[in-house]
Coordinates of all heavy atoms in Angstrom, one line a residue:
A97 N 102.7 56.1 67.2 CA 102.8 56.0 68.6 C 104.2 55.4 68.9 O 104.7 54.6 68.1 CB 101.7 55.1 69.1
A98 N 104.7 55.7 70.1 CA 106.0 55.2 70.5 C 106.1 53.7 70.5 O 107.1 53.1 70.1 CB 106.4 55.8 71.9
S99 N 105.0 53.1 71.0 CA 105.1 51.6 71.1 C 105.1 51.0 69.7 O 105.8 50.0 69.5 CB 103.8 51.1 71.8 OG 102.6 51.5 71.2
D100 N 104.4 51.5 68.7 CA 104.4 51.0 67.4 C 105.8 51.3 66.7 O 106.3 50.4 66.0 CB 103.3 51.7 66.5 CG 101.9 51.3 67.0 OD1 101.7 50.3 67.6 OD2 101.0 52.1 66.7
L101 N 106.3 52.4 67.0 CA 107.6 52.8 66.4 C 108.7 51.8 66.9 O 109.5 51.3 66.2 CB 108.0 54.2 66.7 CG 109.3 54.8 66.1 CD1 109.2 54.8 64.6 CD2 109.5 56.2 66.7
M102 N 108.7 51.6 68.3 CA 109.7 50.7 68.8 C 109.6 49.3 68.3 O 110.6 48.6 68.1 CB 109.7 50.7 70.4 CG 110.1 52.0 71.0 SD 111.8 52.5 70.5 CE 112.8 51.1 70.9
E103 N 108.3 48.8 68.2 CA 108.1 47.5 67.7 C 108.7 47.3 66.3 O 109.4 46.3 66.0 CB 106.6 47.1 67.6 CG 106.3 45.7 67.2 CD 104.8 45.4 67.2 OE1 104.0 46.3 67.0 OE2 104.5 44.2 67.5
V104 N 108.5 48.3 65.4 CA 109.0 48.2 64.0 C 110.5 48.3 64.1 O 111.2 47.6 63.3 CB 108.4 49.3 63.2 CG1 109.1 49.5 61.9 CG2 106.9 49.0 62.9
R105 N 111.0 49.2 64.9 CA 112.5 49.4 64.9 C 113.2 48.1 65.3 O 114.2 47.7 64.7 CB 112.9 50.5 65.9 CG 112.4 51.9 65.5 CD 113.1 53.0 66.3 NE 114.5 53.1 66.1 CZ 115.3 53.9 66.7 NH1 114.8 54.7 67.7 NH2 116.6 54.0 66.4
R106 N 112.6 47.4 66.3 CA 113.2 46.1 66.7 C 113.2 45.1 65.6 O 114.2 44.3 65.4 CB 112.6 45.6 67.9 CG 112.9 46.3 69.2 CD 112.3 45.7 70.4 NE 112.7 46.4 71.6 CZ 113.9 46.3 72.2 NH1 114.9 45.6 71.7 NH2 114.1 47.0 73.3
H107 N 112.1 45.0 64.9 CA 111.9 44.0 63.8 C 112.7 44.3 62.5 O 112.9 43.5 61.7 CB 110.5 43.8 63.5 CG 109.8 42.9 64.5 ND1 109.3 43.4 65.7 CD2 109.5 41.6 64.5 CE1 108.7 42.4 66.4 NE2 108.9 41.3 65.7
V108 N 113.0 45.6 62.4 CA 113.7 46.0 61.2 C 115.2 46.4 61.4 O 116.1 45.8 60.8 CB 113.0 47.3 60.5 CG1 113.8 47.8 59.3 CG2 111.6 46.9 60.1
E109 N 115.5 47.2 62.4 CA 116.8 47.7 62.5 C 117.8 46.7 63.1 O 119.0 46.8 62.8 CB 116.9 49.0 63.4 CG 116.2 50.2 62.7 CD 116.5 51.5 63.4 OE1 117.6 52.0 63.2 OE2 115.7 52.0 64.2
I110 N 117.3 45.8 63.9 CA 118.3 44.8 64.5 C 118.8 43.8 63.4 O 120.0 43.7 63.2 CB 117.6 44.0 65.6 CG1 117.4 45.0 66.8 CG2 118.5 42.8 66.0 CD1 116.7 44.4 68.0
P111 N 117.9 43.2 62.6 CA 118.4 42.4 61.5 C 119.1 43.2 60.4 O 120.1 42.7 59.8 CB 117.2 41.7 60.9 CG 116.0 42.5 61.4 CD 116.4 43.1 62.7
V112 N 118.7 44.4 60.2 CA 119.4 45.3 59.2 C 120.8 45.5 59.6 O 121.7 45.4 58.8 CB 118.7 46.6 59.1 CG1 119.6 47.7 58.5 CG2 117.4 46.5 58.2
A113 N 121.1 45.7 60.9 CA 122.5 45.8 61.4 C 123.3 44.6 61.1 O 124.5 44.7 60.6 CB 122.5 46.1 62.9
G114 N 122.7 43.4 61.2 CA 123.4 42.2 60.9 C 123.7 42.1 59.4 O 124.9 41.7 59.0
Y115 N 122.8 42.4 58.6 CA 123.0 42.4 57.1 C 124.1 43.4 56.7 O 124.9 43.1 55.9 CB 121.7 42.7 56.4 CG 120.7 41.6 56.4 CD1 119.4 41.8 56.8 CD2 121.0 40.3 56.1 CE1 118.4 40.8 56.8 CE2 120.1 39.2 56.1 CZ 118.8 39.5 56.5 OH 117.8 38.5 56.5
A116 N 124.0 44.6 57.4 CA 125.0 45.6 57.1 C 126.4 45.2 57.4 O 127.3 45.5 56.6 CB 124.6 46.9 57.8
A117 N 126.6 44.4 58.5 CA 127.9 44.0 58.8 C 128.5 43.0 57.7 O 129.7 43.0 57.5 CB 127.9 43.2 60.2
L118 N 127.6 42.3 57.1 CA 128.0 41.3 56.1 C 128.1 41.9 54.7 O 128.9 41.4 53.9 CB 127.0 40.2 56.0 CG 126.8 39.3 57.3 CD1 125.7 38.3 57.1 CD2 128.1 38.7 57.7
R119 N 127.4 43.0 54.4 CA 127.3 43.5 53.1 C 127.9 44.9 52.9 O 128.0 45.4 51.7 CB 125.8 43.6 52.6 CG 125.1 42.2 52.7 CD 123.6 42.4 52.5 NE 122.9 41.2 52.5 CZ 121.6 41.1 52.5 NH1 120.8 42.2 52.4 NH2 121.0 39.9 52.6
R120 N 128.3 45.6 53.9 CA 128.8 47.0 53.8 C 130.0 47.1 52.9 O 130.8 46.2 52.8 CB 129.1 47.6 55.2 CG 130.4 47.2 55.8 CD 130.6 45.8 56.2 NE 131.9 45.6 56.9 CZ 133.0 45.3 56.3 NH1 133.1 45.3 55.0 NH2 134.1 45.1 57.0
T121 N 130.0 48.3 52.2 CA 131.1 48.6 51.3 C 132.1 49.6 52.0 O 131.7 50.2 53.0 CB 130.6 49.2 50.0 OG1 130.0 50.5 50.4 CG2 129.6 48.3 49.4
P122 N 133.3 49.8 51.5 CA 134.1 50.8 52.1 C 133.5 52.2 52.1 O 133.7 53.0 53.0 CB 135.4 50.8 51.2 CG 135.4 49.4 50.6 CD 133.9 49.0 50.5
E123 N 132.7 52.5 51.1 CA 132.0 53.7 51.0 C 130.9 53.9 52.1 O 130.8 54.9 52.7 CB 131.3 53.9 49.7 CG 132.2 54.1 48.5 CD 132.9 52.8 48.0 OE1 132.4 51.7 48.4 OE2 133.9 52.9 47.4
N124 N 130.2 52.8 52.4 CA 129.3 52.8 53.5 C 130.0 53.1 54.8 O 129.5 53.9 55.7 CB 128.6 51.4 53.6 CG 127.7 51.1 52.5 OD1 127.6 50.0 52.0 ND2 126.9 52.1 52.0
L125 N 131.1 52.4 55.1 CA 131.8 52.5 56.3 C 132.4 54.0 56.5 O 132.3 54.6 57.6 CB 133.0 51.5 56.4 CG 132.6 50.1 56.5 CD1 133.8 49.2 56.6 CD2 131.7 49.8 57.8
D126 N 132.8 54.5 55.3 CA 133.4 55.9 55.4 C 132.3 56.9 55.7 O 132.5 57.8 56.5 CB 134.0 56.2 54.0 CG 134.5 57.6 54.0 OD1 135.5 57.9 54.7 OD2 134.0 58.5 53.2
R127 N 131.1 56.7 55.1 CA 130.0 57.6 55.4 C 129.5 57.5 56.9 O 129.3 58.5 57.6 CB 128.8 57.3 54.5 CG 127.7 58.3 54.7 CD 126.4 58.0 53.9 NE 125.5 59.1 54.0 CZ 124.2 58.9 53.7 NH1 123.7 57.8 53.3 NH2 123.3 59.9 53.8
L128 N 129.4 56.2 57.4 CA 129.0 56.1 58.8 C 130.0 56.6 59.7 O 129.6 57.3 60.7 CB 128.8 54.6 59.1 CG 127.5 54.0 58.6 CD1 127.6 52.4 58.5 CD2 126.4 54.4 59.6
T129 N 131.3 56.5 59.4 CA 132.3 57.0 60.3 C 132.3 58.5 60.3 O 132.4 59.1 61.4 CB 133.7 56.5 59.9 OG1 133.7 55.1 59.9 CG2 134.8 57.1 60.8
R130 N 132.1 59.1 59.2 CA 132.0 60.6 59.1 C 130.8 61.1 59.9 O 130.9 62.1 60.6 CB 132.0 61.1 57.7 CG 133.4 61.0 57.0 CD 133.4 61.6 55.6 NE 132.8 60.8 54.6 CZ 131.6 61.0 54.0 NH1 130.9 62.1 54.4 NH2 131.1 60.2 53.1
V131 N 129.7 60.5 59.7 CA 128.5 60.9 60.4 C 128.7 60.8 61.9 O 128.4 61.7 62.7 CB 127.2 60.1 60.0 CG1 126.0 60.4 60.9 CG2 126.9 60.4 58.5
L132 N 129.2 59.7 62.3 CA 129.4 59.4 63.8 C 130.4 60.4 64.4 O 130.2 61.0 65.4 CB 130.0 58.0 64.0 CG 130.3 57.6 65.4 CD1 129.1 57.7 66.3 CD2 130.9 56.2 65.5
E133 N 131.5 60.7 63.7 CA 132.5 61.7 64.2 C 131.9 63.1 64.3 O 132.2 63.8 65.2 CB 133.7 61.7 63.3 CG 134.5 60.4 63.4 CD 135.7 60.3 62.5 OE1 135.7 61.2 61.5 OE2 136.6 59.5 62.6
R134 N 131.0 63.4 63.3 CA 130.3 64.7 63.4 C 129.4 64.8 64.6 O 129.3 65.8 65.3 CB 129.6 65.0 62.1 CG 130.4 65.4 60.9 CD 129.6 65.6 59.7 NE 128.6 66.7 59.9 CZ 127.5 66.9 59.1 NH1 127.3 66.0 58.1 NH2 126.7 67.9 59.3
M135 N 128.7 63.7 64.8 CA 127.8 63.6 66.0 C 128.5 63.8 67.3 O 128.1 64.4 68.2 CB 127.0 62.3 66.0 CG 126.0 62.1 64.8 SD 125.2 60.6 64.9 CE 124.0 60.8 66.2
E136 N 129.7 63.1 67.4 CA 130.5 63.2 68.6 C 131.0 64.6 68.9 O 131.2 64.9 70.1 CB 131.6 62.1 68.6 CG 131.1 60.7 68.6 CD 132.2 59.7 68.4 OE1 133.2 60.0 67.8 OE2 132.0 58.5 68.8
R137 N 131.2 65.4 67.8 CA 131.7 66.7 68.0 C 130.6 67.8 68.2 O 130.8 68.9 68.7 CB 132.6 67.1 66.8 CG 133.9 66.4 66.7 CD 134.8 67.0 65.7 NE 134.1 67.2 64.4 CZ 134.2 66.3 63.4 NH1 134.9 65.2 63.5 NH2 133.6 66.5 62.2
E138 N 129.4 67.4 67.7 CA 128.3 68.4 67.6 C 127.8 68.8 69.0 O 127.6 68.0 69.9 CB 127.1 67.8 66.8 CG 126.0 68.7 66.5 CD 126.5 69.9 65.7 OE1 127.0 69.8 64.6 OE2 126.5 71.0 66.3
T139 N 127.5 70.1 69.1 CA 127.0 70.7 70.3 C 125.6 71.2 70.1 O 124.9 71.5 71.1 CB 127.9 71.8 70.9 OG1 128.0 72.8 69.9 CG2 129.3 71.2 71.3
D140 N 125.2 71.4 68.9 CA 123.8 71.9 68.6 C 122.8 70.8 68.5 O 123.0 69.8 67.8 CB 123.8 72.7 67.2 CG 122.5 73.2 66.9 OD1 122.0 74.2 67.5 OD2 121.8 72.6 66.0
T141 N 121.8 70.9 69.4 CA 120.8 69.8 69.5 C 120.1 69.5 68.2 O 120.0 68.3 67.8 CB 119.7 70.2 70.5 OG1 120.4 70.4 71.8 CG2 118.7 69.1 70.6
T142 N 119.7 70.5 67.5 CA 118.9 70.3 66.2 C 119.8 69.6 65.2 O 119.3 68.7 64.5 CB 118.4 71.7 65.6 OG1 117.6 72.3 66.6 CG2 117.7 71.4 64.3
A143 N 121.1 70.0 65.1 CA 122.0 69.4 64.1 C 122.2 67.9 64.5 O 122.3 67.0 63.7 CB 123.3 70.2 64.1
W144 N 122.4 67.7 65.8 CA 122.7 66.3 66.3 C 121.5 65.4 66.0 O 121.6 64.3 65.5 CB 123.0 66.3 67.8 CG 123.5 65.0 68.3 CD1 124.8 64.6 68.5 CD2 122.7 63.9 68.7 NE1 124.8 63.3 68.9 CE2 123.6 62.8 69.1 CE3 121.3 63.6 68.8 CZ2 123.1 61.6 69.5 CZ3 120.9 62.4 69.2 CH2 121.8 61.4 69.6
V145 N 120.3 65.9 66.2 CA 119.1 65.1 66.0 C 119.0 64.7 64.5 O 118.6 63.6 64.2 CB 117.8 65.8 66.5 CG1 116.5 65.2 65.9 CG2 117.7 65.9 68.0
A146 N 119.3 65.7 63.6 CA 119.2 65.4 62.2 C 120.2 64.3 61.8 O 119.9 63.4 61.0 CB 119.5 66.7 61.4

Side-chain angles (χ1 to χ4, degrees):
S99 58
D100 292 338
L101 183 63
M102 288 307 304
E103 182 177 32
V104 168
R105 292 192 70 182
R106 287 189 178 282
H107 281 83
V108 174
E109 292 195 81
I110 292 174
V112 160
Y115 289 128
L118 300 176
R119 302 172 180 172
R120 83 288 186 275
T121 67
E123 291 76 18
N124 293 140
L125 294 178
D126 181 63
R127 185 183 186 200
L128 279 162
T129 300
R130 284 187 285 108
V131 171
L132 177 61
E133 289 175 348
R134 286 178 60 196
M135 292 179 74
E136 291 173 335
R137 295 192 303 268
E138 187 56 65
T139 59
D140 178 76
T141 299
T142 302
W144 190 94
V145 165

